[in-house]
Amino acid sequence: QVQLVESGGGSVQAGGSLRLSCQTSLYNYSRYCMGWFRLAPGKERERVAIIDTDGGENYADSVKGRFTISRDNGKNMLYLQMNNLKPEDTAMYYCAAQWTYCYSDYFLWNYRGQGTQVTVSS
């Protein structure tokens, strides 16, 4: 059974940093588009960042210049470095994997994790 397990969430003050990790059990991990999504109470789910099979990155406008997505294909790991965090970044963050293609719609992705909570206080 494929598993995606997020870690690294927590509570920080505005301006602080966190690094999220996602451990996967995916076979042929390098062939998957990987992404981070987030869901905050009262808001729509947002695709935060994706990294495709060629290492190409794409970010939501709300996090550009502050967040960096990366992957380690040798370890089947996905990361999200989050700097200069703001209270509006408070959300549950989910790791997701999709075979070869990066969809915009979270529910079209093949595999999704259980999430890790990030809380940013002002």
Side-chain angles (χ1 to χ4, degrees), residues 6-101:
E6 302 95 336
S7 62
S11 297
V12 296
Q13 289 192 325
S17 298
L18 284 173
R19 189 193 194 206
L20 305 184
S21 299
C22 175
Q23 175 71 63
T24 86
S25 62
L26 291 166
Y27 179 71
N28 271 339
Y29 173 74
S30 63
R31 298 294 308 279
Y32 282 84
C33 176
M34 299 299 298
W36 288 99
F37 291 78
R38 67 185 179 186
L39 182 63
K43 295 184 179 180
E44 292 189 355
R45 194 181 305 270
E46 180 180 27
R47 195 180 81 173
V48 175
I50 62 98
I51 184 166
D52 64 24
T53 57
D54 295 323
E57 303 166 25
N58 187 271
Y59 297 91
D61 289 342
S62 57
V63 306
K64 280 180 182 177
R66 300 188 297 120
F67 290 12
T68 302
I69 191 171
S70 61
R71 64 191 299 165
D72 185 334
N73 289 340
K75 297 181 178 180
N76 282 21
M77 292 290 295
L78 178 72
Y79 304 99
L80 185 68
Q81 178 66 44
M82 305 186 295
N83 297 329
N84 190 22
L85 282 160
K86 303 176 180 181
E88 51 264 42
D89 295 318
T90 295
M92 185 73 79
Y93 285 72
Y94 299 88
C95 167
Q98 172 62 37
W99 180 251
T100 73
Y101 187 78

